[in-house]
Amino acid sequence: MSDRLERIKALRREPPPFRRVDVARVEDLTPHLRRLTFAGDDLEGLEIDEPAASVRLLLPSTGTTELVVPEWSGNEFLLPSGDRPLIRTFTPRYLRDDPPELDLDIVLHGAEGASGWARSAEPGDPAAVSGPGRGYTVDPGSDPLVLVGDETALPAIAQLLEQVPDAVPVVVHVEIRHPDARLDLPDHPEAAVTWHDLADGDPPGTAMLAALEGQDLGENARVWAAGEAAGMQQIRTHLKERGVDRSRTTVRGYWKHGRPGPG
């Protein structure tokens, strides 16, 4: 089998099965960020070993309250009707064992998709999770570790701040649409956090790119960035133009502008 076919086969490997859960609690962290705590015996055995990892969140289809678990078609998940299910990807903020609970922080960007569901979610509402997906391995030799993200990246940034060794300098740039989107991030003795307001009319990622353009990147700096997909592509291009080796960068598109339910 050619290398190309092997890569395709790997990309189409069936993801971990869905674990049924119910909403246990709902908490607003900011007017734009809501924490949903999910509980259920199916969470037993779920392990998340790296910060900034991911889980798939399966929700009832729009206009329904019944959760139907889809089947893997070999390339994607499909419902028995042949329709695509409502699945979004989020950073698992906290996972607890006793009782089994999982916290997901969801940005309230609109009235559709996962964001719309999260706006009206109540205890007892059904859902399912699958994962985990890849996380981020912190290099203790980073000097500095530069974290760049928008509101959807806040859970991952918070986890990274909790796990980066105290001796590693950390520079954090967060792009927000509203001043009241700020929230307290975990303390780190060598962290410098700057919040950047996105100007009205500017596409997502504009403030992040400007912050990164003004950031000094030495020989040992590593960059982790996450946010809107088109903005992240601009950041990839910028880092390449500056000669930053790809081995020192992790850039992830979390959502697409104009598509409901950023995750």
Side-chain angles (χ1 to χ4, degrees), residues 60-115:
S61 298
T62 303
T64 71
T65 58
E66 180 185 3
L67 183 75
V68 178
V69 177
E71 294 186 358
W72 182 248
S73 69
N75 187 46
E76 62 181 339
F77 284 108
L78 293 175
L79 296 169
S81 63
D83 295 330
R84 291 180 175 178
L86 178 54
I87 298 175
R88 295 294 185 266
T89 303
F90 295 95
T91 300
R93 183 62 183 95
Y94 293 110
L95 176 64
R96 294 177 290 276
D97 295 331
D98 189 17
E101 290 185 338
L102 175 69
D103 293 345
L104 301 182
D105 298 346
I106 299 178
V107 177
L108 305 179
H109 266 196
E112 300 180 6
S115 181

Side-chain angles (χ1 to χ4, degrees), residues 17-25 36-46 55-60 65-69 90 94-96 99-104 106 117 121-131:
F18 281 102
R19 302 166 182 261
R20 288 184 176 270
V21 294
D22 294 312
V23 175
R25 294 184 300 280
L36 298 178
T37 298
F38 298 91
D41 292 340
D42 280 3
L43 287 175
E44 293 183 3
L46 178 62
V55 294
R56 288 182 173 89
L57 176 66
L58 169 68
L59 300 172
T65 58
E66 180 185 3
L67 183 75
V68 178
V69 177
F90 295 95
Y94 293 110
L95 176 64
R96 294 177 290 276
E101 290 185 338
L102 175 69
D103 293 345
L104 301 182
I106 299 178
W117 180 87
E122 297 179 351
D125 287 351
V129 295
S130 169

